[in-house]
Amino acid sequence: MLVKCPSSRVELVDFGSGGGFDGFVPISQSATKQSPTNQRARLDRATRGLDGPVAVVDLDAFDANAAELVRRAGGVPLRVASKSVRCRALLRRVLDRPGFLGILAFTVAEAIWLAGEYDDVVVGYPSAERATIAKLAADPVAAARVTLMVDSAEGLSLIRRAIADVPEPATLRVAIDLDASLRLAAGRVHLGPRRSPVHSVPDAVALARIVVGDPAFRLVGLMAYEGQVAGMPDRPLGKPLQAPILRRVKQASVAELTERRGAVVAAVRELADLEFVNGGGTGSIETTAADPSVTDIATGSGLYAPALFDRYDSFRAEPAAYFGLDVVRRPARGIVTVAGGGWIASGPPGHDREPVPTYPGGLRLIGTEGAGEVQTPLQGHAADALHLGDRVWFRHAKAGELCERVESVHLVAGAEIVESVPTYRGEGRTFL
Ligand SMILES: Cc1ncc(COP(=O)(O)O)c(C=O)c1O
């Protein structure tokens, strides 16, 4: 409906985009169609005349990645995860393609904003934005386009209180967030993200009954994000012994979830006519698409293909998003310092969350400094060929977070910038 619009628990956590594994993640050059030399030359040439830091998206790679995501989904529609894009022009570019049907947003404020253009915006997370929820209930057009996510009776009460003073509130569209984690040993082992408390068929049915019994709400969907599959790289670098274990965890998890999600969907469908059942992420498209209960699959990171996504076996994506920082010092032989720091990805702190110096090859962060606060020293054999003002190209470990550091993204085709477009931040929108 797009307008074209107890005590000894074992846990693996942070299975959002990317896994939860430390270890330096190298660039998969095989995933890049351009040779490293060509790619560096293209990016340098396209952005000559622009001061750093500059963020670019290689449209050739971005479009190829979008096509590959659609191919991997095998006919199941995709819902773009806006948190992993954070740029309206690029969301539009994706949503203009066949195969993408709507948006998985990350806050209610963002969803209302996007609902100005799109009529299928699901907020992928529960929200405590009470004033904004009231605003949604007061706006029947937006309320018909935005779906709120709930995972508890307490969350429903929060929404009720938020809209209590709205005169004639619109009925709010609601979806239930089903926990997709794998629980073993009677719940003592939890494999997957710590998200929804709704895990079993009875849990889901109990919450669904509350929703359908309240005229303030309409139950329209269900979501179950299997982060321990989608966000877990197959080959965590530096931890080769984990790979076979991870493979088995993923297999077991997919089998368990397919059965449980199917049973939950069937039971909830007895109570409400669900418009959608969402699952998955970039790292799980094939297995999520194979689950007959799923009607659309969330994906976003696979468009930019950040560094954490180099280490999956089941798919290849072309690095599409880069940022360039300029050399400002040459403190010693074999070391250059670029202006700009941070660019660290969310998740458990570790080397795999650091930005990856990519072009020229042969540079690395210095262990004692990492990505600095306002400047970042880099070490390696490529350093001595660099001069003040030369540009070093990096990849972020994750996708959308890059856009929180820049106001615009330069879209590169061939060796030229074809358009410079604002990020969410550039539009004055920092939602989280
Ligand atoms: C609810 C939800 N769905 C899907 C995804 C997958 O998004 P991506 O494809 O960007 O990894 C995530 C990532 O954390 C998520 O939180």
Side-chain angles (χ1 to χ4, degrees):
M1 68 186 239
L2 189 68
V3 162
K4 204 51 169 183
C5 128
S7 56
S8 57
R9 287 182 183 273
V10 177
E11 300 196 9
L12 291 181
V13 292
D14 187 47
F15 297 104
S17 299
F21 308 101
D22 38 322
F24 186 72
V25 179
I27 299 132
S28 162
Q29 299 291 9
S30 62
T32 314
K33 270 192 189 152
Q34 299 283 334
S35 74
T37 313
N38 281 351
Q39 187 67 341
R40 180 185 177 202
R42 284 177 75 203
L43 300 179
D44 277 350
R45 179 159 169 216
T47 60
R48 68 192 181 281
L50 293 174
D51 288 344
V54 286
V56 303
V57 166
D58 175 344
L59 287 181
D60 302 332
F62 183 89
D63 290 344
N65 289 340
E68 178 64 3
L69 293 169
V70 171
R71 187 200 65 73
R72 290 174 58 204
V76 180
L78 296 173
R79 182 179 292 282
V80 61
S82 61
K83 73 172 178 69
S84 303
V85 180
R86 301 192 203 196
C87 170
R88 281 207 295 179
L90 289 167
L91 287 173
R92 285 183 198 118
R93 190 174 180 96
V94 167
L95 285 161
D96 279 346
R97 302 180 70 95
F100 286 83
L101 94 165
I103 301 174
L104 190 75
F106 56 97
T107 74
V108 180
E110 180 210 11
I112 293 175
W113 184 52
L114 296 175
E117 266 181 275
Y118 296 102
D119 74 352
D120 183 1
V121 187
V122 175
V123 183
Y125 313 85
S127 165
E129 301 161 79
R130 279 156 281 200
T132 313
I133 292 169
K135 197 173 138 195
L136 179 69
D139 179 346
V141 175
R145 294 174 159 212
V146 170
T147 301
L148 300 178
M149 193 61 62
V150 294
D151 66 9
S152 66
E154 188 182 351
L156 289 166
S157 301
L158 183 148
I159 297 173
R160 273 190 217 100
R161 287 197 304 277
I163 64 173
D165 295 332
V166 177
E168 296 182 41
T171 306
L172 295 176
R173 296 165 54 83
V174 163
I176 291 178
D177 189 350
L178 174 71
D179 172 42
S181 65
L182 178 64
R183 295 184 184 172
L184 302 171
R188 286 194 299 280
V189 179
H190 179 105
L191 299 170
R194 283 286 178 185
R195 294 203 183 177
S196 173
V198 179
H199 187 80
S200 65
V201 173
D203 294 342
V205 167
L207 187 58
R209 281 193 204 286
I210 303 175
V211 179
V212 299
D214 188 333
F217 304 121
R218 188 148 74 84
L219 182 58
V220 297
L222 195 132
M223 184 189 81
Y225 169 58
E226 57 271 52
Q228 71 280 12
V229 181
M232 180 189 275
D234 296 305
R235 289 170 285 108
L237 198 79
K239 297 187 175 173
L241 297 180
Q242 277 195 355
I245 301 165
L246 296 178
R247 203 172 309 122
R248 283 205 290 279
V249 167
K250 286 190 181 197
Q251 281 164 357
S253 189
V254 167
E256 187 274 339
L257 181 61
T258 302
E259 202 178 317
R260 182 163 53 86
R261 184 160 48 195
V264 167
V265 170
V268 174
R269 280 197 192 279
E270 298 277 312
L271 301 171
D273 212 1
L274 298 181
E275 290 173 18
F276 68 88
V277 176
N278 174 268
T282 296
S284 74
I285 291 182
E286 291 81 357
T287 54
T288 308
D291 181 337
S293 70
V294 169
T295 65
D296 64 64
I297 302 172
T299 187
S301 302
L303 296 164
Y304 292 165
L308 276 167
F309 283 78
D310 288 347
R311 305 197 65 79
Y312 285 77
D313 288 334
S314 54
F315 65 93
R316 283 276 173 273
E318 282 186 54
Y322 300 87
F323 60 95
L325 305 180
D326 297 341
V327 176
V328 286
R329 299 180 200 267
R330 304 174 66 192
R333 272 182 69 85
I335 300 178
V336 289
T337 301
V338 292
W343 309 85
I344 297 285
S346 59
H351 290 305
D352 65 345
R353 306 288 146 163
E354 290 177 332
V356 179
T358 304
Y359 303 124
L363 291 173
R364 62 185 182 279
L365 299 178
I366 296 178
T368 49
E369 299 210 40
E373 188 173 0
V374 294
Q375 55 174 22
T376 300
L378 300 166
Q379 191 167 34
H381 65 78
D384 292 335
L386 289 169
H387 297 96
L388 300 192
D390 285 349
R391 188 150 284 164
V392 177
W393 292 98
F394 294 75
R395 291 171 65 210
H396 207 282
K398 291 180 87 166
E401 292 169 24
L402 166 72
C403 288
E404 298 295 347
R405 304 208 46 119
V406 288
E407 292 187 347
S408 59
V409 173
H410 305 288
L411 308 182
V412 172
E416 299 300 331
I417 292 173
V418 292
E419 202 181 347
S420 298
V421 294
T423 59
Y424 277 15
R425 175 179 166 173
E427 295 201 69
R429 310 277 176 160
T430 48
F431 293 107
L432 285 179

